[in-house]
Amino acid sequence: MIPYSIQVLAYKQLQSAMKIGAKILSFRQPELFSGPGSSLDLCDHIAKSGVRKVLLVSDEFLLQIGLLQPMIDRLESHGVNVVAYTGVQPDPTIEQVEAGLAMLRQHGSEAVLAIGGGSSIDAAKMVAARARNPLKIVHMGGLFRVIVPPLPLYAIPTTAGTGSEATIGAVISDPETTRKFVVMDPKLVPLAAALDATLMTGLPAAGTTATGMDALTHAVEAYLSSNATPATDAEALEATRLVMENLPQVLHDGTDLEARQRMAIASYKAGVAITTAGIGWVHAISHNLGALYHLPHGYLNAIILPRVLDLYRPVCQARLADLARASGLEGTDGAALADAFIAHVRELNVQFGIPAQVDKLQDADIAQIVERAMSETHWNYAVPVYMDKTRTERMVRDMLPATA
């Protein structure tokens, strides 16, 4: 068996090569419409592109509360036929994507419009990709496996968290294997997106918290990534600042349009940052806990994040200090600032009512979670510290409820 130290060296060499490649490729960003009412501006843009049949991908709740209707009406006023697929649920599955694909083919849709949270946008990405690719979804998992460009894809997020409207990734669940897998390809970046705070004012506090902490985790993991660049650093630090300043405010007053808009921008910027810099251990562990226990992704990220920051602290002190400064924290030196940032993340969790433990976590599942998290991280994520099995298990086991 190859010694673990040699494996880590190989991971780092691969990630160094990928960092060079990312700089050369310069991943495309969607054409962006931003501000109250921008969702309707995006609909005008879609109509002007010549598209006449659109599959709208969302969830049933947004349809029932009437949130989708203004966009449907606007598109139809331009002569665009809209068919709504609202079968997406949290942690979208292969089956849900295939059902959306069947509806797209039945109606001859020429483009896909995602309206909703990260689940709807990720599902829409894979519907658009499956429409033109012969590979099944499970064979697209990993890097650069979407061979043919998807159908024209547009996104309107209704939460400020995943940043999926800006990323190259889509996360899909396979209930048969209780696994989540990530499809990562630049072709999955939507052609255009709208950040419209008016669609986010009704988001409940729990959803606001979870998605906001997801955005913060994206920004932090991108900034601490070994693949970080000056461009991703700028996006990640600004996203961190915006989340720290505005997440408490939108939880205090969910109707504050300006704060909601700034959170939407934070989520987008963090998404742009992870497109090049990537994610890390927080997401790898969260994905695999979420696949088993069906807990909100951002909620799990918030629980895991301070533990991973403790892991990174010895090698990332200066960068953690930068994040502290972006958060408005003070300290006498870099070490104090780094400690202040980690402590502040923990304080936010307490303030937002996020526990330190995962109540559903079972001892019997830990070995599987560890194996899958390590498999996801190694070769895929440019983390500053690669954990071995013992260290990963220790971190996951620390999240067991007190009664376990």
Side-chain angles (χ1 to χ4, degrees):
M1 182 178 178
I2 301 174
Y4 189 71
S5 60
I6 302 299
Q7 293 181 43
V8 169
L9 180 61
Y11 302 146
K12 290 183 176 181
Q13 289 176 337
L14 174 64
Q15 295 301 340
S16 295
M18 290 178 63
K19 182 173 183 177
I20 295 171
K23 288 181 178 179
I24 295 171
L25 288 172
S26 184
F27 295 130
R28 174 182 59 81
Q29 295 181 27
E31 182 173 351
L32 191 62
F33 298 81
S34 184
S38 59
S39 55
L40 300 180
D41 295 335
L42 176 58
C43 292
D44 296 340
H45 173 77
I46 293 170
K48 290 176 183 177
S49 74
V51 170
R52 287 296 171 262
K53 292 184 178 181
V54 169
L55 179 75
L56 191 160
V57 176
S58 189
D59 64 70
E60 187 64 26
F61 176 73
L62 294 185
L63 179 67
Q64 290 179 356
I65 66 172
L67 194 72
L68 307 180
Q69 200 58 48
M71 282 79 83
I72 294 173
D73 291 344
R74 188 63 158 251
L75 285 166
E76 291 184 339
S77 74
H78 290 296
V80 179
N81 176 259
V82 181
V83 174
Y85 169 63
T86 57
V88 180
Q89 298 176 11
D91 300 325
T93 64
I94 294 172
E95 183 180 9
Q96 289 167 28
V97 172
E98 293 297 321
L101 177 65
M103 184 174 288
L104 179 145
R105 287 175 170 166
Q106 178 184 353
H107 294 276
S109 301
E110 306 164 316
V112 178
L113 170 61
I115 304 177
S119 293
S120 293
I121 298 174
D122 284 0
K125 286 180 175 181
M126 296 316 301
V127 170
R130 280 283 289 120
R132 284 186 169 172
N133 282 269
L135 294 178
K136 293 184 178 179
I137 294 174
V138 291
H139 300 306
M140 294 188 201
L143 292 166
F144 310 121
R145 294 181 182 174
V146 179
I147 308 303
V148 182
L151 283 179
L153 173 68
Y154 305 90
I156 302 175
T158 59
T159 64
T162 69
S164 188
E165 69 277 3
T167 71
I168 67 171
V171 182
I172 302 297
S173 296
D174 184 352
E176 290 188 6
T177 61
T178 64
R179 297 191 73 160
K180 285 186 179 182
F181 57 94
V182 186
V183 181
M184 292 180 286
D185 196 293
K187 301 181 190 70
L188 294 180
V189 177
L191 295 178
L195 307 180
D196 188 343
T198 61
L199 305 180
M200 304 177 186
T201 56
L203 189 65
T208 298
T209 299
T211 55
M213 292 303 288
D214 191 19
L216 178 64
T217 302
H218 289 164
V220 171
E221 290 210 292
Y223 195 70
L224 300 180
S225 167
S226 299
N227 274 359
T229 68
T232 64
D233 285 351
E235 300 284 11
L237 288 174
E238 179 64 3
T240 299
R241 182 187 71 82
L242 288 168
V243 172
M244 292 299 193
E245 290 181 357
N246 293 283
L247 182 54
Q249 174 58 24
V250 295
L251 285 168
H252 171 71
D253 179 7
T255 65
D256 186 331
L257 267 183
E258 291 185 359
R260 286 281 191 190
Q261 190 66 37
R262 288 192 287 267
M263 280 300 299
I265 293 169
S267 176
Y268 177 83
K269 285 181 172 292
V272 170
I274 63 172
T275 286
T276 296
I279 49 180
W281 280 111
V282 179
H283 277 77
I285 296 171
S286 177
H287 286 157
N288 290 288
L289 284 168
L292 282 176
Y293 304 126
H294 306 291
L295 293 167
H297 173 65
Y299 168 89
L300 290 172
N301 281 353
I303 294 173
I304 301 162
L305 179 58
R307 291 175 165 90
V308 171
L309 295 182
D310 286 339
L311 170 74
Y312 291 169
R313 169 68 174 75
V315 298
C316 294
Q317 175 180 299
R319 296 220 134 210
L320 287 165
D322 292 341
L323 290 165
R325 294 185 189 97
S327 303
L329 304 176
E330 297 180 353
T332 55
D333 54 26
L337 282 165
D339 291 339
F341 182 74
I342 298 172
H344 188 59
V345 171
R346 284 194 163 93
E347 289 166 5
L348 286 177
N349 281 347
V350 173
Q351 178 183 339
F352 299 154
I354 298 172
Q357 317 305 129
V358 179
D359 287 343
K360 289 188 176 182
L361 179 59
Q362 299 180 27
D363 189 275
D365 296 330
I366 289 178
Q368 182 185 82
I369 293 166
V370 168
E371 177 187 356
R372 291 177 175 180
M374 291 181 67
S375 176
E376 180 174 329
T377 303
H378 297 170
W379 304 111
N380 291 317
Y381 302 154
V383 293
V385 177
Y386 282 95
M387 293 191 287
D388 60 16
K389 183 177 179 181
T390 299
R391 206 167 185 181
T392 310
E393 182 176 339
R394 189 184 307 134
M395 182 177 290
V396 176
R397 188 170 296 281
D398 185 58
M399 289 182 278
L400 279 168
T403 56

